[in-house]
Amino acid sequence: MSAPETPATQTSATQPPAAPAPPLSRRHRLFAAGFRAIAASRADLWLGPVARGRGLILTFHHVRPGRPGPYDPNGLLAITPDFLDRTLALVRRRGFEILGLDALPERLAAGGRPFVVLTFDDGYRDNAEHAAPILRRHGAPWTLFVTSDFASGQGRLWWLELEEAIRRLDRVRVPEAGLDLPARDAHEKSAAFAAVYRRLRSGPEARLLAGIAALCAEAGLAPGRMAGGLCLSWSELRDLGRDPLVTFGAHTISHPMLAKHGEAVARREIAEGRARIAAELNRPVTHLSYPVGDPTSAGPRDFALARDLGFATAVTTRPGHLFAAHADHLHALPRVSVNGHHQTEAALSALLSGVPFLAWNRGRRLNVA
């Protein structure tokens, strides 16, 4: 809500070559260059002891095989099973302990060996199919944050609806956002997605949902139908819950950007989302992930709500490592996204070192305002 590098696909006379990976945006080209520079200078090793915190929380969404096609605007949210496997191996080689989220508050306060916590947002079926076997093989505890509407087969995966609508259309019109854009090929579709996403995300969520619903209608899609195909059902979640390495966390009822709504709506989304998960899975739910999770989607009011509602921790998508001072801000914890556009050891080593966050956070260790 952030073109994987994968081994080349072998071809034969009966297998057409894979579609070319989509070009990286200027922003992601800069990220890639930065990761390469850190690797070349070995700054992840000599500057890491200064930049690295006591630990970090990694964020994942989709884990699935295959490489993207030329139009893949949500590709940043997907990594391959092979890269997850390599990620866990590198984490251990670099001396990190893989820690369950339940243990984080005590370890953060007490210090000790550096740690990594693994979190997966939204509740996608590919997490059970492709990620869980790898996590079990590594003996790695992990937390799956469940959006209760998605587990019920409803709710708006609006970023995926937007992707699919634009895939089907050759022109994208969003009058309320002042947009009328061509979408005849992968390049134009990618540009149209970026423009619509940026324009609608900056305004009220109701306008965003209505605008994407109108595009879906024009493209012959029914909004709210994707979750049933992509997300784990309650029955599947109960099956997954037999694995002792899995902890379930709350991700609200409907995945709203909480800061764009009044306090009553935000409180209901957080509290009732948790209650539904606890009832369906018959287990306590003590951790929360704020949907989208950036400063425009979750702020101090929402951090206070999570604390008042009794959550042990709540995680954002504000980037950064965890430092001792975060022990006093357990409901505004930063995370580090494992990005599908940067599936390289150089990128992962840089993120584990904390070095990129010296610049991204302008030297701040805490970002809770």
Side-chain angles (χ1 to χ4, degrees):
M1 294 179 136
S2 24
E5 295 185 19
T6 57
T9 301
Q10 294 185 350
T11 62
S12 69
T14 60
Q15 181 181 355
L24 292 179
S25 67
R26 180 176 181 274
R27 178 169 174 261
H28 284 289
R29 290 198 302 273
L30 290 173
F31 285 165
F35 295 144
R36 290 194 298 270
I38 290 170
S41 66
R42 299 178 67 82
D44 56 321
L45 300 180
W46 58 264
L47 195 52
V50 177
R52 189 175 62 224
R54 290 189 169 179
L56 66 158
I57 306 172
L58 295 180
T59 308
F60 304 88
H61 287 82
H62 294 282
V63 178
R64 59 196 181 202
R67 57 181 296 170
Y71 169 64
D72 186 38
N74 287 300
L76 75 169
L77 299 177
I79 65 167
T80 65
D82 174 69
F83 188 66
L84 176 62
D85 188 48
R86 289 188 284 133
T87 295
L88 299 178
L90 182 63
V91 162
R92 290 245 166 84
R93 286 204 308 274
R94 293 295 169 91
F96 290 87
E97 180 181 1
I98 300 177
L99 199 68
L101 192 50
D102 287 340
L104 182 147
E106 182 179 351
R107 175 65 72 84
L108 190 55
R113 181 180 168 190
F115 64 85
V116 163
V117 173
L118 309 173
T119 64
F120 293 73
D121 280 7
D122 300 338
Y124 296 109
R125 186 169 287 114
D126 57 48
N127 294 173
E129 293 175 345
H130 299 294
I134 295 167
L135 293 158
R136 280 194 292 272
R137 189 165 69 247
H138 285 267
W142 57 294
T143 297
L144 180 65
F145 288 109
V146 176
T147 301
S148 60
D149 271 358
F150 296 168
S152 299
Q154 55 193 27
R156 298 285 303 276
L157 292 155
W158 56 261
W159 54 98
L160 298 177
E161 292 176 354
L162 177 61
E163 175 183 339
E164 184 58 27
I166 292 176
R167 189 188 313 279
R168 298 184 182 197
L169 297 171
D170 59 13
R171 191 154 201 93
V172 177
R173 300 177 181 86
V174 187
E176 61 270 37
L179 296 173
D180 185 351
L181 302 166
R184 296 162 297 191
D185 56 30
H187 176 75
E188 289 183 346
K189 289 180 186 296
S190 297
F193 180 96
V196 174
Y197 182 95
R198 183 172 57 249
R199 192 71 59 86
L200 291 182
R201 271 273 281 114
S202 66
E205 191 160 24
R207 187 183 74 163
L208 178 149
L209 294 174
I212 294 173
L215 287 174
C216 286
E218 186 179 354
L221 293 168
R225 297 289 182 85
M226 300 186 89
L230 293 174
C231 295
L232 291 159
S233 68
W234 293 118
S235 175
E236 290 169 318
L237 288 166
R238 284 188 283 273
D239 289 342
L240 180 62
R242 297 190 181 99
D243 185 342
L245 292 171
V246 179
T247 297
F248 293 113
H251 203 35
T252 71
I253 301 169
S254 65
H255 202 278
M257 290 172 273
L258 294 168
K260 293 178 179 284
H261 298 272
E263 182 174 343
V265 170
R267 180 181 290 273
R268 173 180 168 272
E269 282 279 346
I270 295 170
E272 294 186 17
R274 174 179 62 182
R276 180 70 187 277
I277 297 166
E280 291 281 355
L281 304 183
N282 193 30
R283 61 173 65 195
V285 178
T286 60
H287 306 287
L288 172 71
S289 171
Y290 304 106
V292 185
D294 67 353
T296 70
S297 305
R301 183 207 66 188
D302 309 297
F303 306 155
L305 282 173
R307 183 189 64 241
D308 293 347
L309 287 166
F311 285 92
T313 72
V315 298
T316 70
T317 59
R318 300 180 188 212
H321 278 218
L322 298 168
F323 295 90
H326 283 105
D328 295 323
H329 298 277
L330 292 174
H331 302 92
L333 296 175
R335 290 191 290 175
V336 173
S337 177
V338 180
N339 191 303
H341 291 321
H342 305 286
Q343 296 184 67
T344 66
E345 184 170 325
L348 184 60
S349 295
L351 296 174
L352 292 174
S353 75
V355 171
F357 307 111
L358 292 175
W360 293 347
N361 291 330
R362 289 174 283 185
R364 292 180 302 176
R365 290 186 168 186
L366 282 176
N367 179 14
V368 298

